[in-house]
Protein backbone atom coordinates (compact mmCIF):
# COMPACT_ATOMS: atom_id res chain seq x y z
CA UNK A 1 0.00 0.00 0.00
CA UNK A 2 0.91 3.65 -0.36
CA UNK A 3 0.46 6.53 2.06
CA UNK A 4 -1.63 9.43 0.72
CA UNK A 5 -2.09 12.93 2.13
CA UNK A 6 -4.49 15.43 0.57
CA UNK A 7 -4.18 19.20 0.86
CA UNK A 8 -5.49 22.36 -0.76
CA UNK A 9 -9.09 22.38 0.38
CA UNK A 10 -10.77 25.43 1.80
CA UNK A 11 -13.75 27.77 1.82
CA UNK A 12 -14.37 29.67 -1.41
CA UNK A 13 -17.19 31.47 -3.16
CA UNK A 14 -19.06 30.07 -6.14
CA UNK A 15 -17.10 30.57 -9.34
CA UNK A 16 -13.72 30.41 -7.62
CA UNK A 17 -10.95 27.89 -8.20
CA UNK A 18 -9.01 25.52 -5.98
CA UNK A 19 -6.21 23.08 -6.64
CA UNK A 20 -6.08 19.96 -4.52
CA UNK A 21 -2.88 18.00 -4.08
CA UNK A 22 -2.32 14.40 -3.08
CA UNK A 23 1.18 13.52 -1.94
CA UNK A 24 2.09 9.85 -1.98
CA UNK A 25 4.84 7.75 -0.51
CA UNK A 26 5.70 4.13 -1.11
CA UNK A 27 7.79 2.17 -3.55
CA UNK A 28 4.83 1.04 -5.69
CA UNK A 29 3.36 4.50 -6.26
CA UNK A 30 5.04 5.12 -9.62
CA UNK A 31 3.05 2.27 -11.18
CA UNK A 32 -0.33 3.17 -9.63
CA UNK A 33 -3.38 4.77 -11.13
CA UNK A 34 -4.76 7.60 -9.00
CA UNK A 35 -8.20 9.03 -8.48
CA UNK A 36 -10.28 11.58 -6.61
CA UNK A 37 -13.58 10.94 -4.85
CA UNK A 38 -15.84 13.12 -2.77
CA UNK A 39 -18.48 12.63 -0.14
CA UNK A 40 -20.96 15.16 1.18
CA UNK A 41 -22.75 14.65 4.54
CA UNK A 42 -25.57 12.15 4.16
CA UNK A 43 -24.55 11.31 0.60
CA UNK A 44 -22.88 8.35 -1.04
CA UNK A 45 -19.23 8.53 -1.98
CA UNK A 46 -18.94 9.84 -5.52
CA UNK A 47 -16.27 9.30 -8.13
CA UNK A 48 -14.76 12.54 -9.43
CA UNK A 49 -11.74 11.85 -11.63
CA UNK A 50 -9.01 9.29 -12.29
CA UNK A 51 -5.70 9.18 -14.12
CA UNK A 52 -3.47 6.33 -15.26
CA UNK A 53 0.03 6.01 -13.84
CA UNK A 54 1.52 7.43 -17.04
CA UNK A 55 -1.00 10.25 -17.19
CA UNK A 56 -2.11 9.13 -20.65
CA UNK A 57 -5.69 8.21 -19.72
CA UNK A 58 -8.18 10.19 -17.67
CA UNK A 59 -11.81 9.77 -16.62
CA UNK A 60 -14.21 12.34 -15.21
CA UNK A 61 -17.64 12.28 -13.69
CA UNK A 62 -20.18 14.07 -15.84
CA UNK A 63 -20.84 16.52 -13.02
CA UNK A 64 -17.27 17.89 -13.17
CA UNK A 65 -16.32 17.36 -16.81
CA UNK A 66 -15.07 20.59 -18.35
CA UNK A 67 -14.49 22.20 -14.95
CA UNK A 68 -12.03 19.88 -13.18
CA UNK A 69 -8.69 18.60 -14.44
CA UNK A 70 -6.66 15.77 -12.93
CA UNK A 71 -2.92 15.64 -13.52
CA UNK A 72 0.26 14.08 -12.17
CA UNK A 73 3.45 15.79 -11.12
CA UNK A 74 6.66 15.19 -13.01
CA UNK A 75 7.94 12.81 -10.36
CA UNK A 76 4.52 11.05 -10.23
CA UNK A 77 4.50 11.23 -6.45
CA UNK A 78 1.90 14.01 -6.46
CA UNK A 79 -1.52 14.11 -8.11
CA UNK A 80 -3.48 17.32 -8.56
CA UNK A 81 -7.12 18.17 -9.04
CA UNK A 82 -7.60 21.61 -10.54
CA UNK A 83 -11.16 22.72 -9.81
CA UNK A 84 -12.54 25.71 -11.69
CA UNK A 85 -15.96 27.34 -11.72
CA UNK A 86 -16.79 25.79 -8.37
CA UNK A 87 -20.43 25.39 -7.43
CA UNK A 88 -22.08 24.94 -4.03
CA UNK A 89 -22.91 21.36 -5.02
CA UNK A 90 -19.17 20.65 -5.18
CA UNK A 91 -19.02 21.00 -1.39
CA UNK A 92 -17.70 17.74 0.07
CA UNK A 93 -14.73 16.05 1.63
CA UNK A 94 -12.38 15.11 -1.21
CA UNK A 95 -10.33 11.92 -0.98
CA UNK A 96 -7.58 10.64 -3.20
CA UNK A 97 -6.90 6.98 -3.79
CA UNK A 98 -4.40 4.72 -5.53
CA UNK A 99 -4.89 1.42 -7.30
CA UNK A 100 -3.21 -0.93 -9.70
CA UNK A 101 -5.43 -0.14 -12.70
CA UNK A 102 -7.47 2.90 -13.62
CA UNK A 103 -10.65 0.85 -14.00
CA UNK A 104 -10.39 -0.30 -10.40
CA UNK A 105 -9.88 3.28 -9.25
CA UNK A 106 -12.91 4.55 -11.18
CA UNK A 107 -15.00 1.85 -9.51
CA UNK A 108 -13.61 2.67 -6.07
CA UNK A 109 -12.09 -0.80 -5.77
CA UNK A 110 -8.63 0.15 -4.65
CA UNK A 111 -6.81 -0.29 -1.38
CA UNK A 112 -5.19 3.06 -0.53
CA UNK A 113 -7.06 6.17 0.60
CA UNK A 114 -6.02 9.49 2.04
CA UNK A 115 -7.64 11.20 5.02
CA UNK A 116 -9.51 13.76 2.92
CA UNK A 117 -9.58 17.54 2.58
CA UNK A 118 -12.68 19.68 3.00
CA UNK A 119 -13.92 21.81 0.11
CA UNK A 120 -16.73 24.23 0.88
CA UNK A 121 -18.26 26.45 -1.80
CA UNK A 122 -20.57 29.22 -0.66
CA UNK A 123 -23.29 30.87 -2.73
Amino acid sequence: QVQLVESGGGLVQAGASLRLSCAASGRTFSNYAMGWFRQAPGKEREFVAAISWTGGSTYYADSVKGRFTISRGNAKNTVYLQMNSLKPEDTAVYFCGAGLRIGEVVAGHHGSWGQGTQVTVSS
Side-chain angles (χ1 to χ4, degrees):
Q1 69 180 30
V2 298
Q3 312 301 315
L4 305 171
V5 180
E6 302 94 337
S7 63
L11 173 62
V12 299
Q13 293 182 318
S17 297
L18 282 173
R19 187 174 71 164
L20 306 183
S21 299
C22 177
S25 61
R27 292 183 178 181
T28 62
F29 175 76
S30 63
N31 201 35
Y32 269 55
M34 303 290 296
W36 288 93
F37 296 77
R38 65 189 183 186
Q39 187 168 22
K43 303 293 184 180
E44 296 287 335
R45 184 185 64 190
E46 177 187 16
F47 167 76
V48 176
I51 188 168
S52 62
W53 76 273
T54 64
S57 298
T58 58
Y59 292 87
Y60 296 94
D62 288 341
S63 59
V64 306
K65 191 173 297 182
R67 298 189 298 121
F68 291 10
T69 303
I70 189 170
S71 61
R72 305 189 80 125
N74 291 336
K76 298 183 180 179
N77 61 347
T78 304
V79 177
Y80 303 100
L81 185 68
Q82 179 66 45
M83 306 187 296
N84 298 327
S85 301
L86 282 163
K87 305 174 180 179
E89 49 263 47
D90 295 318
T91 295
V93 177
Y94 284 70
F95 302 89
C96 67
L100 182 61
R101 298 184 182 276
I102 192 169
E104 298 296 321
V105 174
V106 171
H109 298 156
H110 55 269
S112 297
W113 295 88
Q115 298 300 309
T117 185
Q118 177 71 47
V119 172
T120 303
V121 184
S122 63
S123 300

